[in-house]
Amino acid sequence: MSSPIVFIDGDQGTTGLQIHERLRNRTDIRLFTLPAADRKDPQRRAEAINACDIAILCLPDAAAREAANSITNPAVRVIDASSAHRTHPDWTYGFPEMTKGQSERIARARRVTNPGCYPTGAIGLLHPLVQAGLLPDHYPISIHAVSGYSGQGRAGVEKHEGPEAISAPAFQVYGLELAHKHTPEIQQHAGLAQRPIFVPAYGAFRQGIVLTVPLALRLLAPGVDGRVLHTCLSRHYAGMPHVSVLPLSESSALKHLDPQVLNGTNDMYLSVFQNEAHGQVLLSAVFDNLGKGASGAAVQNLDLMLTHQQ
């Protein structure tokens, strides 16, 4: 039996390049990308996607929808790394650790939508707590996250590493219109009844994310504190190799969070910080926006799908 063909559609951007790098030496698959002359030829792209076993779409949203719609071969399976299908009911959400049975659903799925980088951290923290009833679904959630400039794609990399790098901003908060495209994805998959406030930012480092969610204990049920929330997260992610919950003894000793500590991996660290005197808790997630937040997650989903290749 021949190895399955994996076609990367759009391997020139930051996510596509990293997926290609992670897969190029694999011997269990046949990796295929289009030559430069054919990348903008709709007919050639349609032929390529219908001739593969699994396609990984690393495209802008509109192009990803077009590529998905061009599939006529019912045997073709898809991983979409764009945000085009993340809230679509017919697509399986590609966060294996999100809930019990999700990895099996991904393995069997024909259409998988890769989570966004920021939503990976936010949903990773919030979904288990909402699911367990410890965090009310109507809680007024606010999320702050700082990503490396590669989160802007090639434009961000060029701005910070190109000829004009000296003038690139050291830090910038954006999404001030409170309409970031990741917010509906976070609300839906975290199980929130109302839209969270999401404030993203870019720092002058290439990749990595620190995401935080503050909570006021007075708005939670009596008896719910940082220790209870930590126990819930620890139980949810027990035995999962790519998501770790730092012990309270370790998180209480931390003085800062380094967004780059997991760069180059597909891992995510979750932490719970508590100030009992003030009745406040801070949830945090640290991971690589190009790893667990993008290409690493896509490869993880690919490996799950390969176990059920039909």
Side-chain angles (χ1 to χ4, degrees), residues 17-54:
L17 286 170
Q18 287 226 353
I19 291 174
H20 192 278
E21 179 65 22
R22 289 168 185 252
L23 296 178
R24 64 186 179 90
N25 292 323
R26 296 263 297 254
T27 57
D28 60 324
I29 59 174
R30 288 176 287 165
L31 192 61
F32 178 68
T33 59
L34 286 172
D38 293 339
R39 287 171 186 161
K40 294 186 179 181
D41 183 337
Q43 182 176 345
R44 185 68 188 94
R45 289 176 62 216
E47 290 171 355
I49 201 168
N50 280 287
C52 75
D53 294 291
I54 300 178

CSV table of all heavy atoms in Angstrom, one decimal, residues 17-54:
chain,number,residue,atom,x,y,z
A,17,LEU,N,5.1,27.3,5.7
A,17,LEU,CA,6.5,27.0,5.7
A,17,LEU,C,6.9,26.1,6.8
A,17,LEU,O,7.7,25.2,6.7
A,17,LEU,CB,7.3,28.3,5.7
A,17,LEU,CG,7.4,29.2,4.4
A,17,LEU,CD1,8.0,30.5,4.7
A,17,LEU,CD2,8.2,28.4,3.3
A,18,GLN,N,6.3,26.4,8.0
A,18,GLN,CA,6.6,25.6,9.2
A,18,GLN,C,6.0,24.2,9.1
A,18,GLN,O,6.7,23.2,9.5
A,18,GLN,CB,6.2,26.3,10.4
A,18,GLN,CG,7.1,27.5,10.8
A,18,GLN,CD,7.4,27.5,12.3
A,18,GLN,OE1,7.0,26.7,13.1
A,18,GLN,NE2,8.3,28.4,12.6
A,19,ILE,N,4.9,24.1,8.5
A,19,ILE,CA,4.3,22.8,8.3
A,19,ILE,C,5.1,22.0,7.3
A,19,ILE,O,5.4,20.8,7.6
A,19,ILE,CB,2.8,22.9,7.7
A,19,ILE,CG1,1.9,23.5,8.8
A,19,ILE,CG2,2.3,21.5,7.3
A,19,ILE,CD1,0.5,23.7,8.3
A,20,HIS,N,5.6,22.6,6.3
A,20,HIS,CA,6.5,21.9,5.3
A,20,HIS,C,7.7,21.5,6.0
A,20,HIS,O,8.2,20.4,5.7
A,20,HIS,CB,6.8,22.9,4.1
A,20,HIS,CG,7.4,22.2,3.0
A,20,HIS,ND1,8.8,21.9,2.9
A,20,HIS,CD2,6.9,21.7,1.8
A,20,HIS,CE1,9.0,21.3,1.8
A,20,HIS,NE2,7.9,21.1,1.1
A,21,GLU,N,8.3,22.3,6.8
A,21,GLU,CA,9.6,22.0,7.5
A,21,GLU,C,9.4,20.8,8.4
A,21,GLU,O,10.2,19.9,8.5
A,21,GLU,CB,10.0,23.2,8.3
A,21,GLU,CG,11.3,23.0,9.1
A,21,GLU,CD,12.5,22.8,8.2
A,21,GLU,OE1,12.5,23.2,7.1
A,21,GLU,OE2,13.5,22.2,8.7
A,22,ARG,N,8.2,20.8,9.1
A,22,ARG,CA,8.0,19.7,10.0
A,22,ARG,C,7.7,18.3,9.3
A,22,ARG,O,7.9,17.3,9.9
A,22,ARG,CB,6.8,20.0,10.9
A,22,ARG,CG,7.1,21.1,12.0
A,22,ARG,CD,5.8,21.6,12.6
A,22,ARG,NE,6.1,22.7,13.5
A,22,ARG,CZ,6.0,22.7,14.8
A,22,ARG,NH1,5.7,21.5,15.4
A,22,ARG,NH2,6.3,23.7,15.6
A,23,LEU,N,7.3,18.4,8.0
A,23,LEU,CA,6.9,17.2,7.3
A,23,LEU,C,7.9,16.7,6.3
A,23,LEU,O,7.8,15.6,5.8
A,23,LEU,CB,5.5,17.4,6.6
A,23,LEU,CG,4.3,17.7,7.5
A,23,LEU,CD1,3.1,17.9,6.7
A,23,LEU,CD2,4.0,16.5,8.5
A,24,ARG,N,8.8,17.6,5.9
A,24,ARG,CA,9.6,17.3,4.7
A,24,ARG,C,10.4,16.1,4.8
A,24,ARG,O,10.8,15.4,3.8
A,24,ARG,CB,10.4,18.5,4.3
A,24,ARG,CG,11.5,18.9,5.3
A,24,ARG,CD,12.2,20.2,4.9
A,24,ARG,NE,13.2,20.6,5.8
A,24,ARG,CZ,14.5,20.3,5.8
A,24,ARG,NH1,14.9,19.5,4.8
A,24,ARG,NH2,15.3,20.7,6.7
A,25,ASN,N,10.8,15.6,6.0
A,25,ASN,CA,11.7,14.5,6.1
A,25,ASN,C,10.9,13.2,6.5
A,25,ASN,O,11.5,12.2,6.8
A,25,ASN,CB,12.8,14.7,7.1
A,25,ASN,CG,13.8,15.8,6.7
A,25,ASN,OD1,14.1,15.8,5.5
A,25,ASN,ND2,14.3,16.6,7.6
A,26,ARG,N,9.6,13.3,6.5
A,26,ARG,CA,8.7,12.2,6.9
A,26,ARG,C,8.8,11.1,5.8
A,26,ARG,O,8.7,11.5,4.6
A,26,ARG,CB,7.3,12.6,7.2
A,26,ARG,CG,7.1,13.5,8.4
A,26,ARG,CD,6.7,12.8,9.6
A,26,ARG,NE,5.5,12.2,9.5
A,26,ARG,CZ,4.4,12.6,10.1
A,26,ARG,NH1,4.4,13.7,10.8
A,26,ARG,NH2,3.2,11.9,10.0
A,27,THR,N,8.8,9.9,6.1
A,27,THR,CA,8.8,8.8,5.1
A,27,THR,C,7.5,8.1,5.1
A,27,THR,O,7.3,7.2,4.2
A,27,THR,CB,9.9,7.8,5.4
A,27,THR,OG1,9.7,7.2,6.8
A,27,THR,CG2,11.3,8.4,5.4
A,28,ASP,N,6.6,8.4,6.0
A,28,ASP,CA,5.3,7.7,6.0
A,28,ASP,C,4.2,8.4,5.1
A,28,ASP,O,3.1,7.9,5.0
A,28,ASP,CB,4.8,7.6,7.4
A,28,ASP,CG,4.6,9.0,8.1
A,28,ASP,OD1,5.4,9.9,7.8
A,28,ASP,OD2,3.6,9.1,8.9
A,29,ILE,N,4.6,9.6,4.5
A,29,ILE,CA,3.7,10.3,3.7
A,29,ILE,C,4.5,10.7,2.4
A,29,ILE,O,5.7,10.8,2.4
A,29,ILE,CB,3.1,11.5,4.3
A,29,ILE,CG1,4.2,12.5,4.8
A,29,ILE,CG2,2.2,11.1,5.5
A,29,ILE,CD1,3.7,13.8,5.3
A,30,ARG,N,3.7,11.1,1.4
A,30,ARG,CA,4.3,11.7,0.2
A,30,ARG,C,3.8,13.1,0.2
A,30,ARG,O,2.7,13.4,0.0
A,30,ARG,CB,3.8,11.0,-1.1
A,30,ARG,CG,4.5,9.6,-1.3
A,30,ARG,CD,3.9,8.9,-2.5
A,30,ARG,NE,2.5,8.4,-2.2
A,30,ARG,CZ,1.7,8.0,-3.2
A,30,ARG,NH1,2.0,8.1,-4.5
A,30,ARG,NH2,0.4,7.6,-2.9
A,31,LEU,N,4.8,14.0,0.4
A,31,LEU,CA,4.5,15.5,0.5
A,31,LEU,C,4.5,16.1,-0.8
A,31,LEU,O,5.4,15.9,-1.6
A,31,LEU,CB,5.5,16.1,1.5
A,31,LEU,CG,5.2,17.5,1.9
A,31,LEU,CD1,3.9,17.6,2.7
A,31,LEU,CD2,6.3,18.1,2.8
A,32,PHE,N,3.4,16.9,-1.1
A,32,PHE,CA,3.3,17.5,-2.4
A,32,PHE,C,2.9,19.0,-2.3
A,32,PHE,O,2.1,19.4,-1.5
A,32,PHE,CB,2.2,16.8,-3.3
A,32,PHE,CG,2.0,17.4,-4.6
A,32,PHE,CD1,3.0,17.3,-5.6
A,32,PHE,CD2,0.8,18.1,-4.9
A,32,PHE,CE1,2.8,17.9,-6.9
A,32,PHE,CE2,0.6,18.7,-6.2
A,32,PHE,CZ,1.6,18.6,-7.1
A,33,THR,N,3.6,19.8,-3.0
A,33,THR,CA,3.3,21.3,-3.1
A,33,THR,C,3.4,21.6,-4.6
A,33,THR,O,4.1,21.0,-5.4
A,33,THR,CB,4.2,22.2,-2.3
A,33,THR,OG1,5.6,22.0,-2.8
A,33,THR,CG2,4.2,21.8,-0.8
A,34,LEU,N,2.7,22.7,-5.0
A,34,LEU,CA,2.7,23.1,-6.4
A,34,LEU,C,4.0,24.0,-6.7
A,34,LEU,O,4.4,24.7,-5.8
A,34,LEU,CB,1.5,24.0,-6.7
A,34,LEU,CG,0.2,23.2,-6.8
A,34,LEU,CD1,-1.0,24.2,-6.9
A,34,LEU,CD2,0.2,22.3,-8.0
A,35,PRO,N,4.5,23.8,-7.9
A,35,PRO,CA,5.6,24.8,-8.2
A,35,PRO,C,5.1,26.2,-8.3
A,35,PRO,O,3.9,26.4,-8.5
A,35,PRO,CB,6.1,24.2,-9.6
A,35,PRO,CG,4.9,23.4,-10.1
A,35,PRO,CD,4.2,22.9,-8.9
A,36,ALA,N,6.0,27.1,-8.2
A,36,ALA,CA,5.6,28.5,-8.2
A,36,ALA,C,4.8,28.9,-9.3
A,36,ALA,O,3.8,29.7,-9.2
A,36,ALA,CB,6.9,29.4,-8.1
A,37,ALA,N,5.0,28.4,-10.5
A,37,ALA,CA,4.3,28.8,-11.7
A,37,ALA,C,2.8,28.4,-11.7
A,37,ALA,O,2.0,29.0,-12.4
A,37,ALA,CB,5.0,28.2,-13.0
A,38,ASP,N,2.5,27.4,-10.9
A,38,ASP,CA,1.1,26.8,-10.9
A,38,ASP,C,0.3,27.3,-9.7
A,38,ASP,O,-0.9,27.0,-9.6
A,38,ASP,CB,1.2,25.3,-10.9
A,38,ASP,CG,1.7,24.7,-12.1
A,38,ASP,OD1,1.7,25.5,-13.2
A,38,ASP,OD2,2.2,23.6,-12.1
A,39,ARG,N,0.9,28.0,-8.7
A,39,ARG,CA,0.2,28.3,-7.5
A,39,ARG,C,-1.0,29.2,-7.6
A,39,ARG,O,-1.9,29.1,-6.8
A,39,ARG,CB,1.2,29.0,-6.5
A,39,ARG,CG,2.3,28.1,-5.9
A,39,ARG,CD,3.3,28.8,-5.2
A,39,ARG,NE,4.4,27.9,-4.8
A,39,ARG,CZ,5.6,28.3,-4.4
A,39,ARG,NH1,5.9,29.6,-4.4
A,39,ARG,NH2,6.5,27.4,-4.1
A,40,LYS,N,-1.1,30.0,-8.7
A,40,LYS,CA,-2.2,30.9,-8.9
A,40,LYS,C,-3.1,30.4,-10.0
A,40,LYS,O,-4.0,31.1,-10.4
A,40,LYS,CB,-1.7,32.3,-9.1
A,40,LYS,CG,-1.1,32.9,-7.9
A,40,LYS,CD,-0.7,34.4,-8.1
A,40,LYS,CE,-0.1,35.0,-6.9
A,40,LYS,NZ,0.2,36.4,-7.1
A,41,ASP,N,-2.9,29.2,-10.5
A,41,ASP,CA,-3.7,28.6,-11.5
A,41,ASP,C,-4.8,27.8,-10.9
A,41,ASP,O,-4.6,26.7,-10.3
A,41,ASP,CB,-2.8,27.7,-12.4
A,41,ASP,CG,-3.6,27.1,-13.6
A,41,ASP,OD1,-4.8,27.0,-13.5
A,41,ASP,OD2,-2.9,26.7,-14.5
A,42,PRO,N,-6.1,28.3,-10.9
A,42,PRO,CA,-7.2,27.6,-10.3
A,42,PRO,C,-7.4,26.1,-10.7
A,42,PRO,O,-7.7,25.2,-9.9
A,42,PRO,CB,-8.4,28.4,-10.7
A,42,PRO,CG,-7.8,29.8,-11.0
A,42,PRO,CD,-6.5,29.5,-11.6
A,43,GLN,N,-7.2,25.9,-12.0
A,43,GLN,CA,-7.3,24.5,-12.5
A,43,GLN,C,-6.3,23.6,-12.0
A,43,GLN,O,-6.6,22.5,-11.6
A,43,GLN,CB,-7.3,24.5,-14.1
A,43,GLN,CG,-7.5,23.1,-14.6
A,43,GLN,CD,-7.6,23.2,-16.2
A,43,GLN,OE1,-7.7,24.2,-16.8
A,43,GLN,NE2,-7.5,22.0,-16.8
A,44,ARG,N,-5.0,24.1,-12.0
A,44,ARG,CA,-3.9,23.2,-11.5
A,44,ARG,C,-4.1,23.0,-10.0
A,44,ARG,O,-3.9,21.8,-9.5
A,44,ARG,CB,-2.6,23.9,-11.7
A,44,ARG,CG,-1.4,23.1,-11.4
A,44,ARG,CD,-1.3,21.9,-12.3
A,44,ARG,NE,-0.2,21.0,-11.8
A,44,ARG,CZ,-0.4,19.9,-11.1
A,44,ARG,NH1,-1.7,19.6,-10.6
A,44,ARG,NH2,0.6,19.2,-10.7
A,45,ARG,N,-4.6,24.0,-9.2
A,45,ARG,CA,-4.8,23.8,-7.8
A,45,ARG,C,-5.9,22.8,-7.5
A,45,ARG,O,-5.8,22.0,-6.6
A,45,ARG,CB,-5.0,25.1,-7.1
A,45,ARG,CG,-3.8,26.0,-7.1
A,45,ARG,CD,-4.1,27.4,-6.5
A,45,ARG,NE,-4.6,27.3,-5.1
A,45,ARG,CZ,-5.6,28.1,-4.6
A,45,ARG,NH1,-6.1,29.0,-5.4
A,45,ARG,NH2,-5.9,27.9,-3.4
A,46,ALA,N,-7.0,22.9,-8.3
A,46,ALA,CA,-8.1,22.0,-8.2
A,46,ALA,C,-7.7,20.6,-8.5
A,46,ALA,O,-8.1,19.6,-7.8
A,46,ALA,CB,-9.3,22.5,-9.0
A,47,GLU,N,-6.9,20.4,-9.5
A,47,GLU,CA,-6.4,19.1,-9.9
A,47,GLU,C,-5.6,18.5,-8.7
A,47,GLU,O,-5.7,17.3,-8.4
A,47,GLU,CB,-5.6,19.1,-11.1
A,47,GLU,CG,-6.4,19.4,-12.4
A,47,GLU,CD,-5.5,19.7,-13.6
A,47,GLU,OE1,-4.2,19.7,-13.4
A,47,GLU,OE2,-6.0,19.8,-14.7
A,48,ALA,N,-4.7,19.3,-8.1
A,48,ALA,CA,-3.8,18.9,-7.1
A,48,ALA,C,-4.6,18.5,-5.8
A,48,ALA,O,-4.4,17.4,-5.2
A,48,ALA,CB,-2.8,19.9,-6.7
A,49,ILE,N,-5.6,19.3,-5.4
A,49,ILE,CA,-6.3,19.0,-4.2
A,49,ILE,C,-7.2,17.8,-4.4
A,49,ILE,O,-7.4,17.0,-3.4
A,49,ILE,CB,-7.1,20.2,-3.8
A,49,ILE,CG1,-7.5,20.1,-2.3
A,49,ILE,CG2,-8.4,20.4,-4.6
A,49,ILE,CD1,-8.0,21.4,-1.7
A,50,ASN,N,-7.7,17.5,-5.6
A,50,ASN,CA,-8.5,16.4,-5.8
A,50,ASN,C,-7.7,15.1,-6.0
A,50,ASN,O,-8.3,14.0,-6.1
A,50,ASN,CB,-9.5,16.6,-7.0
A,50,ASN,CG,-10.7,17.5,-6.6
A,50,ASN,OD1,-11.6,17.0,-5.9
A,50,ASN,ND2,-10.7,18.7,-7.0
A,51,ALA,N,-6.4,15.2,-6.2
A,51,ALA,CA,-5.6,14.0,-6.4
A,51,ALA,C,-4.9,13.6,-5.1
A,51,ALA,O,-4.2,12.6,-5.1
A,51,ALA,CB,-4.5,14.3,-7.4
A,52,CYS,N,-5.1,14.3,-4.0
A,52,CYS,CA,-4.4,14.0,-2.7
A,52,CYS,C,-5.3,13.2,-1.8
A,52,CYS,O,-6.5,13.0,-2.0
A,52,CYS,CB,-3.9,15.3,-2.0
A,52,CYS,SG,-5.1,16.2,-1.2
A,53,ASP,N,-4.7,12.7,-0.7
A,53,ASP,CA,-5.4,12.0,0.3
A,53,ASP,C,-5.9,13.0,1.4
A,53,ASP,O,-7.0,13.0,1.9
A,53,ASP,CB,-4.6,10.9,0.9
A,53,ASP,CG,-4.3,9.8,-0.1
A,53,ASP,OD1,-5.3,9.1,-0.4
A,53,ASP,OD2,-3.2,9.6,-0.5
A,54,ILE,N,-4.9,13.9,1.8
A,54,ILE,CA,-5.2,14.9,2.8
A,54,ILE,C,-4.6,16.2,2.4
A,54,ILE,O,-3.4,16.3,2.0
A,54,ILE,CB,-4.7,14.5,4.2
A,54,ILE,CG1,-5.3,13.2,4.7
A,54,ILE,CG2,-4.9,15.7,5.2
A,54,ILE,CD1,-4.7,12.8,6.1
